[in-house]
Amino acid sequence: MAAWVSAAAAFLLLFLLQPPGGGGLSSSASQGLRRPPAKIGVIGAGIGGTSAAYFLRQKFGRDVQIDVFEKGEVGGRLATLNVEGKYYEAGGTIIHPLNLHMKHFVKELGLSVSAIQDGLRGFYSGEELVFEESGWYIWNFLKLLWHYGLNALRMYLWEEEILDKFMRIYRYQSHDYAFSTSEALLHALGGSDFLQRLNQTMDESMQRAGFSQKFINEIVTPVMRYNYGQGASINGFVGVVALTGTDPGLWSIEGGNKRACSGLLEASKAQLTPGTVLSVEGKTRQEGRSGGAVKFYEVMYNSATGLTSDSYDIIVIATPLHPKIANIAFHNIKPSIPGFSRPYEPIVTTFIHGQINASLFGYKDPSQFTLSDVFTMENPNAFFYSLSVVSPVQNTTDPFLGSHVWKAFSAESLTKEQLTLLFASYDAVEEKKWLAYPHYSPPEKCPPVILHDHMYYLNSIECVASAMEMSAISAKNVALLAYHRWYNKVDMIDQEDLHERLKTEL
Ligand SMILES: Cc1cc2nc3c(=O)[nH]c(=O)nc-3n(C[C@H](O)[C@H](O)[C@H](O)COP(=O)(O)OP(=O)(O)OC[C@H]3O[C@@H](n4cnc5c(N)ncnc54)[C@H](O)[C@@H]3O)c2cc1C
Ligand SMILES: *[C@@H]1O[C@H](CO)[C@@H](O)[C@H](O)[C@H]1NC(C)=O
Ligand SMILES: *[C@@H]1O[C@H](CO)[C@@H](O)[C@H](O)[C@H]1NC(C)=O
Ligand SMILES: *[C@@H]1O[C@H](CO)[C@@H](O)[C@H](O)[C@H]1NC(C)=O
């Protein structure tokens, strides 16, 4: 009797557990009524757009057509610059050892990584070096203690605790859970503490956690300036992301980070459409004998062959919607899409092949100057954010003899006077200008991820933090969100207590 009951129960269970569309009667409600999308349009072929194409392919299968529009170079803010015949990362450079999507791409695409050398760092006030590392680990530790008490050690633990929570995203995403806003995503990782970070400056957030103002001004602020061209007034979440940019074990992709983008495009079997998207228009057509109205989007773009348009069921916008970056008009979209006024930070990357002016940093003997990074405090004299010795993206073990190639970040182009102050001598100078990342000024209100029924804004995530991995995380989120919304799987969106629930699930 008992055996019969359990056998029947098992059978029933098996029947109920049939995946939708997998046969039986179960396929009607959720998925069966919805046709798969025929075409998906992705605007932008940076790491966001190309990884979106990759994840969209994974979710929607091989039959959907995916077109990726790009007005410039594949890679976007991942780009290299030629300095005396070698190529250097001019945009997004460092990848953290715990950036799991980027790691996965490298493996999946058969690319290689190159480690970013851990050099010695100095912190410059605009007048003098207020702190500098030395090659001897114990001595560094004692010096940090002497200058800043336990601040440095505590910061490491503090950062690690936040990073630990952040890592939850990979588990949620591997279980296919999606979030409808950037705030909901952040909340699922670290609750109201994480959300609060968007409304506080890094300075406030660290003061509340008990860090000294001296430590924040002399160490934290220069790291913020190096990574985001802004001081500790940036929000307390992106601030922590910036801190992780000084962790050990950082890496880049050999041959250039942008190789991930071309690799992802190829792996996704998406079609690259060179051209500038001018507008997206909401449209409706009648379909089938029943005459049901089907909504779609018409994308108008300028390409080598002139003005063209194409229709899509789903649109992913994978570029900042900033009038100077992507001036895309939206027509017949209700409710209408708000204008996004968030300013982007102008950053100039300059490569200088030369001998640094060691005396500027208090060294009489240039051969004693062994720092490979100089980060600057907020000071009118500090007209640059940072100076770092860099290696080319290829043949990294073949350094220039004697002098180095330095990479400077600054708000404006470095003048000849500034260059001759910073360098005792130099030959090559190359620069690249960016609208690099958002200007952060908490409290932050993130732009929507869902712009319309089936139109998504991947770069909403940049209000939380702008980084390659953040774009990849947002790309996967948008692919999952687009999928669940297409097939009405509302139970996969914005679920509460995921962390607790997934603890017991395997
Ligand atoms: C100087 C600098 C240093 C950085 N350092 C780091 C770092 O060390 N580590 C890190 O993780 N991140 C870093 N970042 C940030 C990182 O590079 C970005 O967050 C990331 O590359 C953004 O990728 P994305 O695909 O979202 O956007 P983008 O790379 O900007 O891609 C958007 C693409 O859309 C295209 N596009 C725009 N409008 C249209 C249109 N109308 N039609 C067609 N195409 C259009 C653009 O040409 C572009 O290629 C840095 C950024 C800069 C600028
Ligand atoms: C943060 O500030 C925004 C904008 O002022 C506000 O809408 C939001 O509720 C605030 N969030 C928290 C967690 O305080
Ligand atoms: C180097 O820095 C010093 C200031 O310490 C400055 O006087 C000098 O002009 C700079 N340039 C060179 C080439 O030495
Ligand atoms: C790197 O070095 C190899 C051989 O050592 C050479 O063939 C190749 O051209 C170099 N690449 C670049 C970009 O300099």
Side-chain angles (χ1 to χ4, degrees), residues 134-427:
S134 61
W136 191 25
Y137 179 79
I138 302 292
W139 181 235
N140 269 339
F141 184 75
L142 292 177
K143 264 196 350 192
L144 272 174
L145 266 183
W146 171 252
H147 281 266
Y148 306 107
L150 288 173
N151 276 274
L153 186 65
R154 278 196 45 225
M155 182 174 77
Y156 175 74
L157 300 172
W158 185 73
E159 177 202 310
E160 193 161 78
E161 194 184 314
I162 296 167
L163 197 57
D164 257 9
K165 288 186 181 162
F166 180 74
M167 298 299 286
R168 293 174 180 173
I169 190 63
Y170 300 111
R171 195 163 169 83
Y172 302 165
Q173 293 195 328
S174 72
H175 284 80
D176 269 9
Y177 288 102
F179 303 94
S180 65
T181 63
S182 296
E183 281 94 346
L185 188 152
L186 207 56
H187 188 267
L189 301 179
S192 55
D193 171 60
F194 268 31
L195 268 190
Q196 217 95 59
R197 283 181 190 284
L198 290 187
N199 284 5
Q200 284 176 2
T201 63
M202 184 64 172
D203 192 80
E204 281 163 5
S205 146
M206 290 195 81
Q207 279 189 41
R208 280 185 202 193
F211 292 95
S212 79
Q213 196 64 58
K214 176 177 156 75
F215 182 69
I216 297 171
N217 294 346
E218 295 185 358
I219 301 293
V220 177
T221 298
V223 170
M224 306 296 103
R225 283 160 61 84
Y226 164 61
N227 278 296
Y228 287 103
Q230 303 156 72
S233 61
I234 64 178
N235 80 60
F237 194 87
V238 68
V240 173
V241 172
L243 284 183
T244 64
T246 57
D247 283 352
L250 303 174
W251 55 281
S252 290
I253 296 175
E254 196 171 297
N257 290 330
K258 66 178 181 183
R259 291 183 67 193
C261 303
S262 43
L264 286 164
L265 261 186
E266 201 177 316
S268 68
K269 298 200 164 60
Q271 182 181 308
L272 176 67
T273 305
T276 304
V277 172
L278 304 177
S279 67
V280 179
E281 184 174 352
K283 291 207 159 177
T284 311
R285 67 168 173 262
Q286 300 299 317
E287 197 160 84
R289 273 161 300 171
S290 54
V294 176
K295 288 184 181 173
F296 66 98
Y297 300 99
E298 189 170 86
V299 171
M300 180 88 77
Y301 60 99
N302 227 333
S303 70
T305 56
L307 207 56
T308 317
S309 71
D310 254 314
S311 317
Y312 295 93
D313 300 296
I314 296 173
I315 297 283
V316 173
I317 295 172
T319 167
L321 283 173
H322 178 293
K324 286 196 185 143
I325 300 175
N327 200 6
I328 299 172
F330 297 98
H331 303 301
N332 194 27
I333 306 278
K334 301 268 155 39
S336 64
I337 292 167
F340 301 128
S341 53
R342 175 177 293 274
Y344 268 64
E345 202 67 21
I347 298 284
V348 183
T349 310
T350 310
F351 294 92
I352 308 106
H353 177 203
Q355 290 280 358
I356 201 153
N357 179 6
S359 84
L360 184 64
F361 301 103
Y363 282 83
K364 295 213 173 58
D365 176 2
S367 72
Q368 298 288 305
F369 184 92
T370 52
L371 299 178
S372 59
D373 289 284
V374 177
F375 301 155
T376 62
M377 291 171 60
E378 255 156 15
N379 180 309
N381 284 344
F383 52 85
F384 61 102
Y385 297 129
S386 62
L387 267 175
S388 307
V389 174
V390 289
S391 303
V393 297
Q394 248 156 4
N395 293 347
T396 49
T397 50
D398 170 28
F400 286 98
L401 286 174
S403 55
H404 297 291
V405 172
W406 292 83
K407 171 154 89 176
F409 287 133
S410 54
E412 290 168 44
S413 291
L414 296 175
T415 63
K416 200 157 188 311
E417 293 71 49
Q418 291 171 335
L419 285 169
T420 49
L421 179 67
L422 289 175
F423 292 90
S425 67
Y426 62 88
D427 25 84

Side-chain angles (χ1 to χ4, degrees), residues 1-51:
M1 175 75 173
W4 183 84
V5 171
S6 67
F11 178 78
L12 204 67
L13 207 68
L14 268 178
F15 181 76
L16 290 172
L17 284 180
Q18 286 278 331
L25 304 168
S26 60
S27 67
S28 59
S30 59
Q31 203 167 2
L33 288 179
R34 195 56 150 137
R35 68 181 170 94
K39 284 170 76 187
I40 304 178
V42 177
I43 305 173
I47 190 65
T50 55
S51 55

Side-chain angles (χ1 to χ4, degrees), residues 43-49 69-73 75-78 90-95 99 227 275-278 318-320 325-328 347 349 409 434-437 458-459 462 466-469 471:
I43 305 173
I47 190 65
F69 294 93
E70 175 53 58
K71 70 171 178 185
E73 303 272 315
R77 276 173 277 171
L78 307 184
T93 303
I94 54 185
I95 306 174
N99 285 169
N227 278 296
T276 304
V277 172
L278 304 177
T319 167
I325 300 175
N327 200 6
I328 299 172
I347 298 284
T349 310
F409 287 133
W434 299 100
L435 282 175
Y437 13 67
L458 192 149
N459 292 69
E462 286 192 77
S466 173
M468 288 174 246
E469 184 72 8
S471 286

